[in-house]
Amino acid sequence: MGGSEKPELIINGKRLDGRTSDQLRDIKIEVGAVRNAVGSSYIEWGNNKILAAVYGPKEALPKHVQDPEKAIIKCRYQMSPFSSLEDHGRTGPNRRSTEISKVTKEVFQNVVLLEQFPGSEIDLYIDVLQADGGTRAAGITAAAVALAASGIPMTDIPFAVSVGKVGSELILDMNKIEDNYSDADMPVAISPRTGEMLLLQMDGNLTIEEVNRGVQMIKKAGEAISKIQRNALKVSYERILEKYKK
Ligand code: CDP
């Protein structure tokens, strides 16, 4: 956030990419992008390009991480070195990717039926190939589809998106330039069936009224995001059915 020369982000009610304040970027999801994974997906969310892959459930290793009552989830979010103009020369985990991996894992611990797989691990990989703001939300949305495609039982297919604040205005689904110069950023993940909030982070300051209004914007956008997630799964099942017909 911040920066010395702050560009105008909203001109005549329109954002720099032409969107209105509550408009999502275009989202496309494809199931089955990673051949060897149990479940996988590829998402294009605006200019973000992200792969999500699920492996397991399998015996949790090393043994001391095993939980005899339920499966554990291991999550590794990472940005590829070529994913943005910022320097990603140093590979391997950093503070930010460790944090995003942790909060993503916590989202899915709340919806995966972990008790069905005691002693196991479920591995979740989120790889950002191209980054343009909001990759944690897009990664969670893609991972939810990859998990659903893997057949691992879940109570719901969560989605995530963020709301930001520019001056006094709330804007949905910020891209990188908006994120850079915004006054606040609040990524939220939700289980659409129950409305339960599985992630809420906040960078910057929002009033309680703004948080409530932001969550309403996110829930509304969630209807569209959920539809895209479910449609991606439907298309993949139809493809499988087609194969059996032949
Ligand atoms: O991706 P998200 O908005 O969830 O996370 P962020 O930490 O708020 O980062 C905002 C954006 O900055 C990312 O989406 C990337 O486009 C960019 N970024 C980057 O290119 N390299 C980093 N090391 C960190 C962020």
Side-chain angles (χ1 to χ4, degrees), residues 1 4 9 26 58 63 77 82 131 164 181 195 212 215 217 236:
M1 296 209 317
S4 46
L9 293 175
D26 285 342
K58 58 190 181 190
K63 271 209 150 65
Y77 161 103
F82 51 81
Y181 296 101
N212 286 332
V215 169
M217 284 167 85
S236 80

Side-chain angles (χ1 to χ4, degrees), residues 77 79 84 86 88 96 100 131-137 176 179 185:
Y77 161 103
M79 290 180 80
S84 80
E86 283 172 38
H88 298 285
R96 176 177 170 276
I100 296 177
D132 189 34
T135 61
R136 83 189 62 205
K176 170 81 173 122
D179 186 77
D185 178 16

Side-chain angles (χ1 to χ4, degrees), residues 174-209:
M174 290 193 293
N175 63 24
K176 170 81 173 122
I177 175 127
E178 292 175 328
D179 186 77
N180 275 4
Y181 296 101
S182 66
D183 301 299
D185 178 16
M186 178 175 73
V188 172
I190 287 177
S191 169
R193 214 161 51 80
T194 60
E196 191 186 354
M197 227 175 266
L198 306 171
L199 164 85
L200 189 148
Q201 297 186 284
M202 204 190 297
D203 185 7
N205 289 321
L206 293 172
T207 63
I208 293 174
E209 187 274 325

